[in-house]
Amino acid sequence: MALLNIRNLTVKFATATGSFTAVDGIDVHVDRGEVLAIVGESGSGKSVSMLAVMGLLPDTATITADEMTYDGRDISKLSKAERRRLIGREITMIFQEPIASLNPSFTVGFQIEEVLRLNLGLGRKEAHARALELFRAVGIPEPEVKIRAYPHQLSGGQCQRVMIAIAIASNPRLLIADEPTTALDVTIQKQILDLLMKLQEDYGMALILITHDMGVVAETADRVVVQYKGKKMEEAEVLNLFEAPQHPYTRALLSALPEHATGDRLPTVSDFFQQAGA
Amino acid sequence: MMGQDIPVVEGRAIVRDYHVPGSIFARGRDVRALKGIDFRVDKGKTLAIVGESGSGKSTLARIIALIDAPTGGELRIAGEAVDIHRRRPGPALRSKVQMVFQNPYGSLNPRQKVGDVLMEPLVINTSIPATERRDRAEAMLKKVGLQPEHFNRYPHMFSGGQRQRIAIARALMLNPSLLVLDEPVSALDLSVQAQVLNLLADLQDEFELTYVFVSHDLSVVRYIADDVMVISKGEAVEQGSREALFANPQHPYTQSLFAATPVTDVEAIRTRVARRKAARAAVAG
């Protein structure tokens, strides 16, 4: 059974020039322990649909869906208190800019212990001990020292590890990672992806990975949803997607990868849409 | 034969120090961002500089583009030693070397119309009359795949890829021989990245341009470069032709970069999927 099931999700934004449809009738589901990658370029609505699930969209957004359930419960009908119990505990999220996601005025230790105390009701000492344990689990070197550091004293990769530690603190069943490695160097990206995959397997969490990078998809996903301009273009098992992409847009994305260049020129997306007559 | 020609740009033992000021708690100290870099690029070729953040690759790009002065070593443009510390580069030298920056959202003045962006280098460095400046700007817009009617629009009316085209057009207005490109496609979407890389390849052929291309993305480097320099902590750890470097990377740092680059090869995915299935079956069983 699907852990998260969304059918026909539409998100509209009220703008000065009228209503803008960012997500247009998207279906997404993720099973327990599954890694789903949502791929798209900027403006494809890949982040917006997950922000809608988390309830993180501004008031200008209108969200409609035929179904939006987590573990059989209707998310849209939850009271604020019920939603708070769900979001941040069972469903957690990490973002693209790890340094910007942390509060610069507090130590990273304070920020993770705050989550442990408020969300899990741990005492001060317990929270501290658990925070150290989590820092070790996500591979932060010298956790006893780093727990007293402010975000600006850590590197981008270390900040993302702190964010991951906060996100897994409550043993979530679903972790949503929105471009978690886009701001990081390629060697650090590899470490963070390996860490996410290891935690995903150890904890048996489901993972939704939002990315624009086909390389990241190839290294992590079980199943892939390709989005373009708010619509779903294709959904497939990762191997099928790379082996035999069905939709012209997916084919275009894959062949625009510089490592797939065969001749002097890289094929572009518009080349493919012209071929397909779309 | 090519080897005997004078290289478009050449660096010998380029060093750059930055001074980190002290405070009541710590003494000021010097950080050596570049520790003696040698390179040369021949006409019509592309040298890619690869490295991670903090490696000094952008510092080197700024020195080559005559924006910053090196602390030590010698930079030669078309065979002539250049020291911008002693003498500010004049219009002739500025016309030879131009730069394109990473973020086209930050590198264009939001209050300047595209036409003015393109004509400004001509106003500052040449005495070309206004009507001809306009003609040249409109011609350049077409060259980079934009329309002459874009002349009177502001940067915010363009997408990221179009803005990077504008930045490239501006850099080409003075007919430079050398273009320094600092991560020109890393802020762009994949499909737009392909278009801009194609454009750069076309322009290089048409104007016989020489590129110094700074990037952290090995797949882009493999597509565009003739020669590659891998730089780590201010040192060029490996230098060579693209073919040699990609076929057989020597330095451990280069090898670690290759190992970390995601593989989109179908066989690799098949292996990974199979491994995950096996691991799951083991847990279930």
Side-chain angles (χ1 to χ4, degrees), chain A residues 231-242:
Chain A
K231 291 204 170 77
K232 178 159 40 171
M233 297 285 113
E234 183 167 357
E235 179 172 352
E237 298 290 319
V238 65
L239 190 57
N240 295 342
L241 188 91
F242 279 84

Side-chain angles (χ1 to χ4, degrees), chain A residues 33-35 41-42 185-190 197 200-201 212 214-222 238-239 242-243 253 256-261 263-270, chain B residues 51-54 57 188-195 197-199 201-202 216-217 219-220 222-223 253 256-257 259-267 269-270 272-273 276 279-280:
Chain A
E34 186 187 33
V35 181
E41 306 192 294
S42 36
D185 276 330
V186 57
T187 47
I188 312 296
Q189 159 168 304
K190 170 93 176 147
M197 295 308 288
Q200 185 270 327
E201 278 174 21
H212 70 281
M214 278 297 187
V216 170
V217 175
E219 297 260 322
T220 56
D222 295 324
V238 65
L239 190 57
F242 279 84
E243 215 167 25
L253 269 188
L257 288 170
E259 60 260 40
H260 288 182
D264 283 345
R265 298 189 64 80
L266 290 167
T268 60
V269 168
S270 45
Chain B
E52 304 203 297
S53 39
K57 59 187 194 299
L188 305 176
D189 274 329
L190 188 59
S191 61
V192 182
Q193 167 178 309
Q195 290 167 4
L197 288 175
N198 284 337
L199 172 69
D202 291 345
H216 69 280
D217 187 337
S219 60
V220 170
R222 178 177 220 156
Y223 172 71
Y253 178 72
S256 74
L257 276 186
T261 304
V263 189
T264 52
D265 176 57
V266 171
E267 280 316 307
I269 300 171
R270 196 189 305 279
R272 180 179 69 78
V273 171
R276 261 177 78 80
R280 273 191 195 158

Side-chain angles (χ1 to χ4, degrees), chain B:
Chain B
M1 208 187 77
M2 277 301 281
Q4 282 148 16
D5 287 351
I6 299 164
V8 172
V9 61
E10 193 176 9
R12 288 179 193 158
I14 300 272
V15 173
R16 170 77 207 195
D17 293 334
Y18 284 108
H19 183 68
V20 180
S23 65
I24 27 173
F25 304 114
R27 290 177 89 174
R29 62 196 168 93
D30 282 329
V31 173
R32 184 147 286 193
L34 292 175
K35 301 168 183 166
I37 305 253
D38 299 302
F39 63 92
R40 61 174 282 163
V41 197
D42 290 320
K43 190 172 174 61
K45 298 288 180 194
T46 300
L47 170 70
I49 302 174
V50 187
E52 304 203 297
S53 39
S55 61
K57 59 187 194 299
S58 289
T59 301
L60 182 57
R62 291 172 67 86
I63 287 171
I64 298 173
L66 309 177
I67 296 172
D68 286 336
T71 317
E74 190 181 51
L75 181 72
R76 299 176 84 90
I77 305 279
E80 277 175 57
V82 176
D83 185 356
I84 65 166
H85 213 63
R86 253 202 349 246
R87 225 179 81 200
R88 271 172 67 90
L93 192 55
R94 280 273 181 247
S95 302
K96 281 185 193 155
V97 188
Q98 288 286 313
M99 183 152 181
V100 175
F101 296 91
Q102 172 171 10
N103 184 351
Y105 293 84
S107 63
L108 297 173
N109 183 344
R111 290 168 174 264
Q112 218 177 11
K113 287 179 181 171
V114 168
D116 296 324
V117 172
L118 296 194
M119 293 191 301
E120 193 169 37
L122 297 180
V123 174
I124 294 170
N125 291 298
T126 69
S127 52
I128 293 169
T131 48
E132 200 191 329
R133 288 201 295 262
R134 192 184 167 100
D135 290 346
R136 286 201 189 187
E138 286 185 352
M140 189 56 76
L141 279 174
K142 270 199 212 156
K143 276 264 180 302
V144 298
L146 297 168
Q147 305 299 322
E149 59 261 32
H150 291 146
F151 191 88
N152 280 321
R153 297 195 189 158
Y154 288 95
H156 76 261
M157 301 159 94
F158 294 90
S159 67
Q162 285 175 322
R163 281 185 223 198
Q164 202 56 302
R165 285 172 195 267
I166 295 166
I168 292 169
R170 187 206 56 79
L172 292 177
M173 284 306 288
L174 291 164
N175 287 325
S177 49
L178 174 65
L179 210 53
V180 180
L181 304 133
D182 189 359
E183 302 262 16
V185 294
S186 60
L188 305 176
D189 274 329
L190 188 59
S191 61
V192 182
Q193 167 178 309
Q195 290 167 4
V196 172
L197 288 175
N198 284 337
L199 172 69
L200 287 172
D202 291 345
L203 292 170
Q204 183 165 42
D205 287 347
E206 185 172 348
F207 299 106
E208 287 199 293
L209 289 168
T210 306
Y211 289 157
V212 171
F213 191 103
V214 176
S215 179
H216 69 280
D217 187 337
L218 283 169
S219 60
V220 170
V221 168
R222 178 177 220 156
Y223 172 71
I224 197 140
D226 296 301
D227 292 304
V228 183
M229 175 201 294
V230 181
I231 172 167
S232 169
K233 292 175 185 163
E235 278 176 278
V237 297
E238 189 160 358
Q239 243 170 320
S241 76
R242 172 187 59 174
E243 288 77 14
L245 192 116
F246 276 84
N248 190 10
Q250 296 294 322
H251 195 275
Y253 178 72
T254 318
Q255 289 165 356
S256 74
L257 276 186
F258 275 103
T261 304
V263 189
T264 52
D265 176 57
V266 171
E267 280 316 307
I269 300 171
R270 196 189 305 279
T271 323
R272 180 179 69 78
V273 171
R275 197 175 57 231
R276 261 177 78 80
K277 278 212 178 105
R280 273 191 195 158
V283 172

